[in-house]
Amino acid sequence: MGLRQHLAESQGIRNASKHNSSLPVLQLRDESGRLSVCSKLCYAIGGAPYQITGSALGFFLQIYLLDVAQVSEMGLDTFYASIILFVGRAWDAVTDPTVGFLVSRSRWTRCGRMMPWILISTPFAVLTYFLIWYVPSVEQWKVLWYLIFYCLFQSLQTCFHVPYSALTMFISMDQKERDSATAYRMTAEVLGSVVGTAIQGQIVGGAITPCLPGNLEVLDNGNTTLLGSDVNISHISLDETKQAYLIASAVICVIYVLCAAVLFLGVREQEGCGRLKTEPMSFFEGMRMVMGYGPYVKLVMGFLFTSLAFMLLEGNFALFISYTMGFRNDFQNILLVIMLSGTLSIPFWQWFLTRFGKKTAVYIGITWAVPFMILIVCIESSLIVAYVVSVAAGVSVAAAFLLPWSMLPDVVDDFKVKNPDSSGHEAIFYSFYVFFTKFASGISLGISTLSLDFAGYVTRGCSQPDAVNLTLKVLVSAAPVVLIFLGLLIFKTYPIDEERRQGNRKLLQAMRDSNQDSDTESTELGSVV
């Protein structure tokens, strides 16, 4: 009975392969058996929507809620904005393990196991993203409007990004090929951040939110207000700024759909990687297994602190450039320089980690930004220095983009070596990493906005109180530096070095060869029977 079942499964796999070959996709491998450049490019392009929307939201949503949407007219704008940002990201973090669990139990289809999630979620994600940047006319519903659509978009984005992230383990069984595909992906994702920053920044930058001049006055309750602030010195109406945000979001939505289409047409999941050989584990079993695995916990915690550092920088940099440094008309160009520098640095870091190892790349790449974070708050405002610091920060941002996703497959391989009978856990590993990262993002955004509220942030003010400027300096310099060093201390205990990584690669290849031999023997025995 077992032999017949095995033969039936083998026949089913061959039939599925025939069906898959009829799909309108590009050839995944070249004649040598390696992933083709075309497939790597199509795979990489699929990661761009997450970063395009992420950079637009990360750099501009806070300032949009505070100065454009004005989610309240009762003087508590920063408080409501912090609630929206924190709850949205916290909800997003909670959905990641859930989606990861559901993805891990998905059945194989003609499109694969991951692709249906990506295809179905895309149109709804695009719609909710556009509505985030729309200002409803009813004042009392603004907070609820942004909270609902921000949470919905984050959930739908999760349905896209978790399967896409796990797809790394399903496009090839070769470690070098996955590393190479990851480098392509990180380049495209950083380029996506450039595109998102450029589209949002340049379109919105042409219609900068009008600020209101006036003298700052501290009230008895500790809040700050403007006196004589009835004049708009920018000569641009608030309605024009709102329209610019809508145009930028529409352009990003079109690019999102195009990238998803390229991913679907150009990438095919490999059945040998994606087929479950055992019964899928339950959600709590998977959570207990991955969270109890030491190398994974150390990797996640290390990147949790370093990611939080760069999220604090990202979320507050536009405000810092606009108010503390006084370059209100140049902030979108400075953000663009950071992303361009990061894009150009990705190939260098890919070469560096191949030559010197991934742990060494972590220490040097992430630490690189520290002196420049300190420099930018210790000198007088200078546009030239701001651009120099932006170029240097982009180099470090590239390392922070590339390394987590390059090292996660190593942990999954290490887990496979230690647990050869376990399968179907790839999406769970990736989803919990995304969970912690997004939860950290929610905390950083919430704390940042609340800190500005306590410091006396003035909505649409042309200038801010000294307490706000000091708070912004802490959020873009002191706090990120401390978090980076905490993350690097954790990385000191991360056990997977180059020697262990290469050893795992050989062991996994031996296991695959053994399984292939077993399958061949079973097939031959079945033909005899």
Side-chain angles (χ1 to χ4, degrees), residues 303-358:
F303 277 118
L304 176 65
F305 283 102
T306 56
S307 298
L308 183 55
F310 286 101
M311 287 171 189
L312 281 174
L313 179 66
E314 177 187 64
N316 296 281
F317 201 63
L319 292 172
F320 176 77
I321 293 295
S322 298
Y323 293 116
T324 305
M325 298 196 73
F327 303 131
R328 184 180 181 84
N329 296 323
D330 297 282
F331 79 92
Q332 71 272 13
N333 298 323
I334 294 174
L335 297 180
L336 184 59
V337 167
I338 293 177
M339 295 296 102
L340 283 172
S341 174
T343 303
L344 297 175
S345 302
I346 285 285
F348 166 77
W349 288 118
Q350 176 63 21
W351 168 83
F352 189 94
L353 66 86
T354 303
R355 177 68 176 81
F356 299 102
K358 296 180 181 181

Side-chain angles (χ1 to χ4, degrees), residues 117-130:
W117 288 84
I118 294 171
L119 289 175
I120 294 172
S121 65
T122 294
F124 300 103
V126 165
L127 176 62
T128 53
Y129 177 81
F130 180 79

Side-chain angles (χ1 to χ4, degrees), residues 5 153 163 241 271 275-276 334 369 383 397 423 432 469 498 526:
Q5 184 178 359
F153 172 72
T241 304
E271 297 172 65
R275 182 167 52 96
L276 293 177
I334 294 174
L383 189 58
V397 166
S423 63
F432 272 100
N469 291 325
E498 286 303 300

